[in-house]
Amino acid sequence: MAPRLDFSNWWGKDTRKGTPVVVTMENPNFSVVEIDGPDAAFRPVEKSRGKNAKQVTWVLLLKANRAIGCVSWLATALWALLGAIKRRLIHRQGVTLASEKLGKGKLLFRIIRAFLVTALAILAFEVVAYFQGWHYFKNPSLHIPRTSELRGFFHMAYVAWLTFRADYIAPPIQALSNFCVVLFLIQSVDRMILCLGCLWIKYKKIKPRIEGDPFKSDDVEGSGNYPMVLVQIPMCNEREVYEQSISAVCQLDWPKDRLLVQVLDDSDDETIQWLIEAEVAKWSQRGINIIYRHRLVRTGYKAGNLKSAMSCDYVMSYEFVAIFDADFQPNPDFLKLTVPHFKGNPELGLVQARWAFVNKDENLLTRLQNINLCFHFEVEQQVNGVFINFFGFNGTAGVWRIKALEESGGWLERTTVEDMDIAIRAHLNGWKFIFLNDVKALCEVPESYEAYRKQQHRWHSGPMQLFRLCLPAIITSKISACKKANLVLLFFLLRKLILPFYSFTLFCVILPLTMFVPEAELPVWVICYVPVFMSFLNILPAPKSFPFIVPYLLFENTMSVTKFNAMVSGLFQLGSSYEWVVTKKAGRSSESDLLAAAERESRTINQPQFSRGASESELCELNQIKEQKEASRDPVKKINKIYRKELALAFLLLTASVRSLLSAQGVHFYFLLFQGVTFLLVGLDLIGEQMS
């Protein structure tokens, strides 16, 4: 019989062997819990037991330390803000004023400045009345004193102001407020419907799929079933990113005899031209079918560049064209995940991939942009692609059927949003689009407020200019009435015009006005509950950004000034509506991408090289020029800008917050205070500072 190995009886016996040891401690700071039995340590212990006064004191001290830490952090942030105001606004150290090239921008600044001066005068008037005890503004039903109740000339002037304010100023402000609230609710309903559509797509797991193996072929070389693909990289003075974008495109997993890369360089800097040409020659030596094209006359910006490239005779041999901006780094399998969707689908004109950002955590500004763009791709593009088969082309990371481009009129130089222009014309011609949310292309978002501001101006002025140009074509097109309504009412008016209009008017004009004209009321749910709920919906596609929901809400209201300005420029065909400024890049790559690129680079170097388009001596000469130019580059010192419109609005909102403090309006005061501080940060160019 096998021996029994049950020692439970031994554990239960009270056997004590050896010499007992007694340990004494002076002033113990912990309590001793008596254990009865082997499982006593695993039984729940009453919370009231095992605590002494010293433990409670330590807990309270820890909580007090955390509270002091929060207060000290706020004090440090406030002190840093005051220091920045002193350096940048008073002493003007390392800053310069943002240029306003057109009278339109200066006109808006003058209007805001006049509004600010008037608000300061009214505030001083109200403060004097407050200390005199004339608290008429606290009364919900305005009481106008009679003639016998007047107490002098100043009191008479104040009563006259109350009468004029109630009879002539409050009604139009209240009407405008109600109109903007209605627009706000309509836009909120549209946003909720988009979110519900996105949830339905996720619940049903709806996404475009590829049937079978599209590349299966009996060809010995294995490339007979691969279509001819043209890849275009338009760029202009892209010193920071040209190398990594060309490298990523040249390493696409596609048969070399079925692929042609066009590097379309519009640079006016001769140094950058030589650097890009040297990079192209390097990849040509490695057997890549790549061509460098440079235009002497840069007309039509990106649209003119693409139009010029498509006019080449050899383009007729290709069936599809993939477009990547200079800062995009597609994965090697990009074409294998996008091009097969065209097979067996002759009505498909565009396959659009999603953007992913290598610098989304660089600072607060990039984090806020990531929230906006994640919602744009995850919700707007995906829902419109699934239910309508139409969305605005994003200008890059997409594959077009060349036949669709040609039948839709090709690239036109009439706007700065050539991508949206060609998408609408293709939609009017009956072509369908597919959005692939699972296919991503790495790129950058602007890291400075100046670059982001210029980008947003172009993105919001171009659509309004395009709306004026293509409205007759939409109305006379042969598409259904529902598609026409979607283009005019939703795509253009609601999401491109109404959104910046009500956002600027409601939160930057009407809200401060209602503080000085309390007879025109703005409900709390308009400035608090609904915006927070909408911000929560916007942040759902990027759940890791949830801690930034309040900064996101405040920053979007701040950006409404730039978007409203741009919308007016495009709508009324002002000069800045056709102004293209290349977004400044930093040339960043994620660590994993760098490692993968290094591995692919080593594999490519080990392959036999073929001379295509450049001799060995020419390549050496170009590489020497590249090394000399890179060595001669001087680091550019950062100069912060002061944005006058944002600063003027900051002081206006802070003035309105003081006025709301006199009226004891809690929510209005806090909203105006935080919104004013956000405008101040943006106006002093502090929003893009580094943030861990």
Side-chain angles (χ1 to χ4, degrees), residues 51 61 95 128 138 189 197 206 224 238 255 334 391 398 403 408 428 481 510 538 561 624 665 668 675:
K51 291 185 178 180
L61 286 175
V95 297
V128 174
K138 283 188 177 182
V189 170
I206 303 173
E238 306 281 3
F334 182 88
F391 46 82
K403 182 180 178 181
S408 303
L428 296 180
I510 294 178
N538 283 10
V561 181
Q624 290 176 1
Q665 295 178 329
H668 296 73
Q675 190 66 71

Side-chain angles (χ1 to χ4, degrees), residues 241 244 327-329 331 355-363 366 370 441-445 447 586-594:
V241 295
Q244 62 191 31
D327 60 317
F328 275 72
Q329 307 165 52
N331 292 326
W355 300 358
F357 312 106
V358 297
N359 61 338
K360 62 181 180 180
D361 296 324
E362 184 65 24
N363 55 41
T366 58
N370 180 60
L442 288 175
C443 63
E444 290 185 17
V445 288
E447 296 182 7
R588 300 187 185 276
S589 296
S590 62
E591 184 177 356
S592 59
D593 300 323
L594 291 175

Side-chain angles (χ1 to χ4, degrees), residues 13 19 34 69 83 89 98-99 149 171 214 231 281 331 349-350 352 364 395 418 560 586 601 638 657 673 675:
K13 294 180 181 180
T19 304
E34 183 179 358
L89 196 59
S99 61
E149 299 176 359
V231 181
N331 292 326
L350 167 67
Q352 173 72 60
L364 179 59
E418 74 295 325
S560 64
E601 182 90 2
K638 180 183 178 181
S657 69
L673 176 63
Q675 190 66 71

Side-chain angles (χ1 to χ4, degrees), residues 223-282:
S223 62
N225 209 29
Y226 286 80
M228 300 287 287
V229 177
L230 176 68
V231 181
Q232 296 177 334
I233 314 176
M235 57 179 63
C236 179
N237 297 325
E238 306 281 3
R239 179 191 291 269
E240 296 81 9
V241 295
Y242 75 93
E243 191 171 2
Q244 62 191 31
S245 63
I246 294 176
S247 174
V249 168
C250 289
Q251 297 177 65
L252 288 171
D253 186 9
W254 201 258
K256 293 181 180 180
D257 59 334
R258 320 290 291 182
L259 183 70
L260 173 64
V261 179
Q262 282 184 323
V263 179
L264 312 176
D265 183 23
D266 262 4
S267 303
D268 53 9
D269 188 335
E270 186 176 353
T271 302
I272 301 177
Q273 295 176 23
W274 277 102
L275 294 174
I276 297 175
E277 191 172 359
E279 184 70 16
V280 171
K282 180 183 74 173

Side-chain angles (χ1 to χ4, degrees), residues 159-330:
V159 171
W161 158 246
L162 292 180
T163 307
F164 179 78
R165 188 179 75 186
D167 294 341
Y168 298 101
I169 300 180
I173 293 178
Q174 189 66 59
L176 181 61
S177 173
N178 295 336
F179 177 68
C180 290
V181 168
V182 171
L183 296 180
F184 182 30
L185 293 178
I186 293 174
Q187 198 271 336
S188 301
V189 170
D190 174 64
R191 190 62 54 96
M192 289 182 62
I193 292 174
L194 288 174
C195 291
L196 291 175
C198 183
L199 292 176
W200 179 259
I201 291 173
K202 289 186 175 297
Y203 175 72
K204 291 293 186 178
K205 298 180 180 180
I206 303 173
K207 65 178 182 179
R209 303 180 186 277
I210 302 173
E211 301 295 338
D213 185 3
F215 304 112
K216 187 177 181 180
S217 175
D218 297 332
D219 191 358
V220 177
E221 297 181 358
S223 62
N225 209 29
Y226 286 80
M228 300 287 287
V229 177
L230 176 68
V231 181
Q232 296 177 334
I233 314 176
M235 57 179 63
C236 179
N237 297 325
E238 306 281 3
R239 179 191 291 269
E240 296 81 9
V241 295
Y242 75 93
E243 191 171 2
Q244 62 191 31
S245 63
I246 294 176
S247 174
V249 168
C250 289
Q251 297 177 65
L252 288 171
D253 186 9
W254 201 258
K256 293 181 180 180
D257 59 334
R258 320 290 291 182
L259 183 70
L260 173 64
V261 179
Q262 282 184 323
V263 179
L264 312 176
D265 183 23
D266 262 4
S267 303
D268 53 9
D269 188 335
E270 186 176 353
T271 302
I272 301 177
Q273 295 176 23
W274 277 102
L275 294 174
I276 297 175
E277 191 172 359
E279 184 70 16
V280 171
K282 180 183 74 173
W283 285 101
S284 178
Q285 287 289 322
R286 296 179 181 179
I288 302 299
N289 193 11
I290 185 170
I291 295 176
Y292 174 80
R293 283 179 53 88
H294 179 263
R295 295 193 304 163
L296 297 177
V297 180
R298 188 193 175 211
T299 58
Y301 302 116
K302 182 180 176 181
N305 199 359
L306 294 173
K307 181 179 180 181
S308 174
M310 294 298 294
S311 63
C312 298
D313 295 335
Y314 54 80
V315 174
M316 299 176 59
S317 304
Y318 293 84
E319 187 177 357
F320 305 104
V321 55
I323 303 173
F324 299 99
D325 282 350
D327 60 317
F328 275 72
Q329 307 165 52

